[in-house]
Amino acid sequence: MRNRFIPSSCLLGALLVAGSGCDTPPTPIDQDFPVELPAPDARGSAAELTAPGCSILTTASVTASGDDGTGSVAANSQDDNLTTRWSGPGKGAWLNMDLGASKSVAGATVVWHQGNTRQNYFVISTSTDGTNFTQAFSGTSALNTSAQTYAFSARQARYVRVTVNGNTVNDWASILEARACAQQTTPPAPTADSGPVLPRLPYLQSVGQTSAIVAFRSGVSCTPFVRYGEGTDLSRTATATAAGWRHAVKLTGLQPGRTYGYSVEACGSVTGVRSFRTASAPGTPRVRFTTMGDFGTGGSSQKAVFAMMNKPEWRGEFLVALGDNAYSSGTEQEFQDRMFTPMAPLLREVPMFPSLGNHEYVTNQGQPYLDNFYLPTNNPAGTERYYSFDWGNVHFVALDSNCAIGLASSDRCTTAAQKAWLETDLAATTQPWKIVFFHHPPWSSGEHGSQLSMRRNYGPILEKYNVDLVLTGHDHNYERSKPMKGDAVAPAGTRGIVYLVVGSGGATLRTFPAAQPSWTAVRDNQVYGFMDVVVDGGTLTAKLITSTGSVRDSLTLTKTLPAVTSTQTSALKASSMETAPGPVDDPARAPAGLRFEKELPPADRLEDVADHDEPAPEASTPAAR
């Protein structure tokens, strides 16, 4: 077994065995060898190791599974000297810190050798007797040379072991310094932003019952971290997996329906604490969210809508966006200047679940949209173009209506694949309420009219699985249908689906080309606004809230919910949310296309929000208009 490491020690001598040659290969030592540490005053003039988020515990002695045979011994990991290291050969090499007595341990901090050029795969475990170890943490190191602290729940332990399962360069373990951490009082949460202003402030993505993503952008390349915890007790830390400019840090170990605070620390920038609420567990009767589309202008009407939406009396637990998020072509700069910048105060605390509009498709069929959002990938294609998620008693489905109208190439999205997934998804959910959202409306009397491709392809599936509400945009107005079934109003005594067009989020409003059709319950093209939707037990209430705060329309749906037994409630489990990783930067080179000479003006003119060419709609029936 020893000989398998000799070639790698020769080839990588410059990296791993500084100052040694390969004429006489080092012989790894496989047995444990306790090393009594020298007294602090015998360690030379080096300053003691400090680490963020770690109250360092004194190590009485240290052991290791082996070393490189040329002086990179276990004791080097405790000498407060960043020019020495412990190096152990082979996957599974470990470093064991003996604290001398059982203590309360809540984490470990590690400074990795050449940590900016290799990522280490590791496990931290604890033991009271030095023989039986329990895993406390596992992960991958961030690409930096700083002390990295890995927190876990406090437990009594005398021994703390770091086991390294190789790294991105080789199978060796190389640690400059390592310490065990005691539970400590967390520094007070910052109340305001400080340091350089982040080019893009934090925004919340894919918030689920047990996890959430905090995304943001930095002005220089670095490996940032997020402090978080319930309320303002930011005692936990999540570190980015790689250095760069575009960051998406995943917070894990959350509980459903709880309020968490967070603060980002990136490249000298610190953001003031903000809070968000995790998704409610299935069985939770009350859910509140907001929704609208056609808003990404960066203009005054958009800002007025979001200012009202962000007021405490109207703020939802999350936002459902119905497409045309960044006018006029969904470019990188349009997302930055016309969506993320004006929406920053809201998106720092309210998660956004978007869908693709036709304007996003103008630029490479929505690629900037996919690069800017971190959305669930719970379909067989592994795409963010369509997805679903649960929040309390409600099942939400986002579709890409551009597939149905012919804007998507077959390698990006097909109607057949999306329909098959939709049917499977709706058939599998056990939530009593079902809401589907996308951009192009199956029922509309606005400028574009009803999109019959969406109605023909998806309407039968929505009706088959008793979808309660369909949310759309595209036409720049508000319209609510009567309960619809097939190509007409649902007959008395039968179940139908209400379709809403909420294209009043900020883009210039448009006139209705004809008189109000008989299937329309309410329509309005005079006000900008959003929908406030509350599901409470067997009642769904949706209100159109104008940018001045008045209620313009109200809808109520009711149903009888099946009884939930105590046994069913106790069996419900919080689920995590798998998301796409997003773009990965070269930490040594700024990504092209992220720096802009000047800010874009608002897209407030009719020509700014005019639609590009689309495939002609199918011929409509009289009822369709």
Side-chain angles (χ1 to χ4, degrees), residues 228-231 234 236 251 253-256 258-262 274-278:
Y228 68 103
E230 286 201 58
L234 310 188
R236 302 170 65 182
L251 314 184
L254 310 181
Q255 296 296 315
R258 303 280 185 86
T259 298
Y260 288 86
Y262 74 95
R274 294 294 189 274
S275 62
F276 66 93
R277 190 175 185 276
T278 51

Side-chain angles (χ1 to χ4, degrees), residues 204-227:
L204 295 158
Q205 293 283 275
S206 290
V207 173
Q209 298 167 45
T210 60
S211 65
I213 288 176
V214 178
F216 53 94
R217 292 186 176 176
S218 56
V220 296
S221 177
C222 65
T223 306
F225 62 91
V226 178
R227 293 171 50 207

Side-chain angles (χ1 to χ4, degrees), residues 276-310:
F276 66 93
R277 190 175 185 276
T278 51
S280 300
T284 305
R286 183 176 171 84
V287 174
R288 185 180 189 185
F289 67 97
T290 52
T291 183
M292 46 83 212
D294 304 84
F295 55 85
T297 67
S300 57
S301 298
Q302 176 207 39
K303 292 175 182 177
V305 170
F306 277 102
M308 185 58 60
M309 184 183 291
N310 205 25

Side-chain angles (χ1 to χ4, degrees), residues 70 91 218 241 244 259 385 442 444 464 502 518 540 556 606:
T70 61
K91 291 182 178 179
S218 56
T241 57
T259 298
R385 294 177 188 270
S444 172
K464 177 180 178 180
V502 195
S518 59
L540 181 152
T556 299
L606 281 171

Side-chain angles (χ1 to χ4, degrees), residues 189-210:
T191 57
D193 297 349
S194 62
V197 177
L198 292 175
R200 181 177 298 171
L201 291 168
Y203 57 105
L204 295 158
Q205 293 283 275
S206 290
V207 173
Q209 298 167 45
T210 60

